[in-house]
Amino acid sequence: ENGIRNGKPLLIEDVHETIEPALEPVLAKAIFTEGNRRLIRLGDSNVDYDDLFKLFMTSKLPNPHYLPEVAIKTTIINFT
């Protein structure tokens, strides 16, 4: 939440083939405007969204297979 609000990068390590549903608004960039504020809904609260925010996820899986709903919202780079 702090990374989104302050425009800092966030690294989530050791992601498996299923992604937490709580990350859905972030992956979909479900940003909306309220007045002059850009917000994203996380759980029960609206959080200010900074455009400098970046989300990085890593996996130890050699060849992960993500659902199409996740794959179309992300850029997947395979370093193996």
Side-chain angles (χ1 to χ4, degrees):
E1 192 173 304
N2 287 332
I4 294 172
R5 183 176 290 122
N6 298 321
K8 302 290 183 185
L10 172 65
L11 173 63
I12 302 175
E13 296 181 307
D14 199 20
V15 175
H16 299 286
E17 289 184 340
T18 57
I19 306 293
E20 285 288 326
L23 290 176
E24 177 61 30
V26 178
L27 294 177
K29 289 192 174 181
I31 303 162
F32 62 95
T33 304
E34 189 174 278
N36 62 349
R37 297 170 56 197
R38 292 172 45 93
L39 303 167
I40 190 166
R41 183 138 184 101
L42 292 179
D44 295 342
S45 61
N46 294 334
V47 177
D48 287 311
Y49 184 86
D50 190 314
D51 287 328
L52 297 176
F53 171 72
K54 301 285 184 213
L55 174 64
F56 300 95
M57 298 184 294
T58 64
S59 176
K60 293 181 181 179
L61 300 172
N63 193 15
H65 295 282
Y66 294 105
L67 293 173
E69 294 83 17
V70 173
I72 62 172
K73 297 174 189 167
T74 60
T75 300
I76 299 173
I77 301 172
N78 188 349
F79 289 105
T80 58

